[in-house]
Amino acid sequence: MKNFTKFLSILFAAVIILSGCSNNNATGSEKEAADSEERAADEKLALSYVTDYYNNGKKEERLKFVEESVHPDMQGGYRTNAKSAVSEDQMLKDPKVAESVAYEDEESEGSLVLIQSANDKEMIVLITDNKVTLDFTPSPNAGSEDLYQDVRSEFKTAK
């Protein structure tokens, strides 16, 4: 319950932060080029998260991914989850990056990356400081689903 409350707090903060503005001094074209480059790297990492961690049933490989690619503040929860694989019906088959949007808060910046799959499942991966920070998936739990939909509303791509 404590981890769920912490997750909801982080998720709520992410939603609030997504509505904020950026105060970067770079010129428009310089900022766009840098954002595009960084976003491409974040998209690659998000897709790697789905294939190398989320869809991967091998505990040792999942733990290695956590050590190398998950934000240090979030590694504990991901390490715990690495011990058991998701069921076949929860996996994202043939995942693809559908869209990404910039993310920024007071302490970090990065991207929210929308991953969609051939089996009509989707996931949003939050990348900050070039590391996986959180993932968001649709949930049967009403509170979690509301939060997911709030984050999902940042994207233009249809479901």
Side-chain angles (χ1 to χ4, degrees), residues 50-109:
V50 173
T51 58
D52 298 336
Y53 180 85
Y54 189 80
N55 284 350
N56 189 340
K58 298 176 183 168
K59 177 183 169 185
E60 293 306 316
E61 290 177 15
R62 289 167 54 100
L63 289 169
K64 181 180 178 191
F65 182 88
V66 170
E67 292 301 317
E68 295 174 354
S69 302
V70 173
H71 197 282
D73 293 344
M74 304 304 288
Q75 285 184 357
Y78 282 93
R79 244 186 247 108
T80 299
N81 292 337
K83 296 174 184 173
S84 59
V86 298
S87 64
E88 186 79 22
D89 65 317
Q90 291 178 311
M91 291 184 182
L92 281 74
K93 305 293 183 203
D94 192 26
K96 304 264 189 264
V97 173
E99 185 180 350
S100 62
V101 295
Y103 168 85
E104 186 174 335
D105 68 17
E106 297 159 357
E107 299 174 10
S108 61
E109 58 184 51

Side-chain angles (χ1 to χ4, degrees), residues 8-158:
L8 287 178
S9 297
I10 292 169
L11 182 59
F12 184 70
V15 170
I16 291 172
I17 291 163
L18 290 174
S19 62
C21 299
S22 173
N23 292 334
N24 197 331
N25 293 331
T27 65
S29 61
E30 289 173 345
K31 183 174 176 9
E32 286 176 23
D35 286 349
S36 178
E37 223 173 90
E38 193 170 313
R39 197 152 317 131
D42 290 350
E43 290 173 357
K44 184 177 178 182
L45 178 57
L47 196 54
S48 176
Y49 168 74
V50 173
T51 58
D52 298 336
Y53 180 85
Y54 189 80
N55 284 350
N56 189 340
K58 298 176 183 168
K59 177 183 169 185
E60 293 306 316
E61 290 177 15
R62 289 167 54 100
L63 289 169
K64 181 180 178 191
F65 182 88
V66 170
E67 292 301 317
E68 295 174 354
S69 302
V70 173
H71 197 282
D73 293 344
M74 304 304 288
Q75 285 184 357
Y78 282 93
R79 244 186 247 108
T80 299
N81 292 337
K83 296 174 184 173
S84 59
V86 298
S87 64
E88 186 79 22
D89 65 317
Q90 291 178 311
M91 291 184 182
L92 281 74
K93 305 293 183 203
D94 192 26
K96 304 264 189 264
V97 173
E99 185 180 350
S100 62
V101 295
Y103 168 85
E104 186 174 335
D105 68 17
E106 297 159 357
E107 299 174 10
S108 61
E109 58 184 51
S111 303
L112 285 166
V113 182
L114 175 63
I115 306 287
Q116 293 181 324
S117 68
N119 58 339
D120 295 324
K121 295 191 181 298
E122 63 182 22
M123 173 185 289
I124 299 168
V125 182
L126 173 60
I127 308 292
T128 60
D129 303 324
N130 301 311
K131 300 285 186 179
V132 172
T133 303
L134 289 172
D135 69 84
F136 309 97
T137 56
S139 172
N141 177 313
S144 295
E145 181 61 19
D146 289 345
L147 291 171
Y148 174 80
Q149 291 304 325
D150 285 344
V151 176
R152 180 65 172 85
S153 70
E154 296 295 317
F155 297 95
K156 296 175 185 171
T157 303

